[in-house]
């Protein structure tokens, strides 16, 4: 695990779902309740740890003045009052699109054609780029505020 265990205790699946739902919902043209169900399902497996790894890497790369404990305290402070505060809606880029396809694959809502594309070398590269981009977004959401 490339991130501290405390991060997973702070950024739980419901917290991460809340941060991603607005963008997922808009990108898929579905209501937020259905988006939350799909995202929750997709984050039950390996996608959540991968996303937390990328978010942690982004947090550490962005903050030069805080050590690991300081970063975790900043996350805790940000999440203290409203841990499931919805994240901002972002414009869907190529990286976000790849992440959304990964989430759909994990939730079981993507087509077999999408699975084949994501299993190709280029698809795997795009998937990694998407995880990095969404990890940066999640890092910003988890550390904004106070």
């Amino acid at each position: 695990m490339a991130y501290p265990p405390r991060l997973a205790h702070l950024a739980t699946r419901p917290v991460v779902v809340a941060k991603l739902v607005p963008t997922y919902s808009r990108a898929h043209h579905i209501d937020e309740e259905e988006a939350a169900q799909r995202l929750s399902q997709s984050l039950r497996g390996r996608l959540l740890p991968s996303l937390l790894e990328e978010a942690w890497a982004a947090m550490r790369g962005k903050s030069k003045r805080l050590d690991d404990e300081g970063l975790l305290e900043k996350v805790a402070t940000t999440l203290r009052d409203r841990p499931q505060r919805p994240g901002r809606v972002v414009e869907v880029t190529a990286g976000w699109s790849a992440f959304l396809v990964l989430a759909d694959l994990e939730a079981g809502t993507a087509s077999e054609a999408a699975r084949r594309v994501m299993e190709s070398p280029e698809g795997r590269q795009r998937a990694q780029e998407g995880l990095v981009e969404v990890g940066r977004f999640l890092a910003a959401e988890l550390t904004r505020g106070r």
Side-chain angles (χ1 to χ4, degrees):
M1 183 181 320
Y3 56 90
R6 184 172 178 214
L7 181 62
H9 292 289
L10 294 168
T12 61
R13 186 166 27 102
V15 169
V16 174
V17 166
K19 303 303 180 195
L20 301 178
V21 155
T23 300
Y24 186 94
S25 172
R26 180 176 284 176
H28 284 74
H29 305 290
I30 58 176
D31 65 49
E32 289 194 355
E33 186 175 322
E34 183 176 350
Q37 289 173 345
R38 287 185 189 183
L39 274 170
S40 184
Q41 180 63 34
S42 70
L43 293 174
R44 288 187 192 279
R46 65 182 184 256
L47 191 55
L48 180 58
S50 297
L51 192 54
L52 289 178
E53 282 181 29
E54 295 303 335
W56 183 247
M59 281 185 239
R60 291 187 78 202
K62 185 176 161 189
S63 178
K64 301 294 183 223
R65 60 184 174 83
L66 293 176
D67 63 2
D68 288 359
E69 196 56 42
L71 280 172
L72 290 168
E73 280 306 310
K74 184 168 177 97
V75 172
T77 301
T78 300
L79 296 176
R80 182 179 354 183
D81 295 331
R82 290 184 58 204
Q84 294 185 23
R85 175 182 175 188
R88 293 169 287 139
V89 177
V90 298
E91 288 298 316
V92 176
T93 62
W96 266 93
S97 291
F99 174 80
L100 294 172
V101 172
L102 273 180
D104 290 344
L105 286 169
E106 291 294 319
T109 59
S111 68
E112 189 56 36
R115 179 176 306 283
R116 285 193 304 273
V117 167
M118 294 308 280
E119 288 174 349
S120 72
E122 184 178 345
R124 286 192 294 274
Q125 178 184 348
R126 298 268 186 213
Q128 184 57 40
E129 291 167 1
L131 278 170
V132 168
E133 185 171 339
V134 177
R136 281 194 308 261
F137 167 81
L138 184 59
E141 288 293 314
L142 293 174
T143 58
R144 73 179 174 145
R146 303 173 198 265

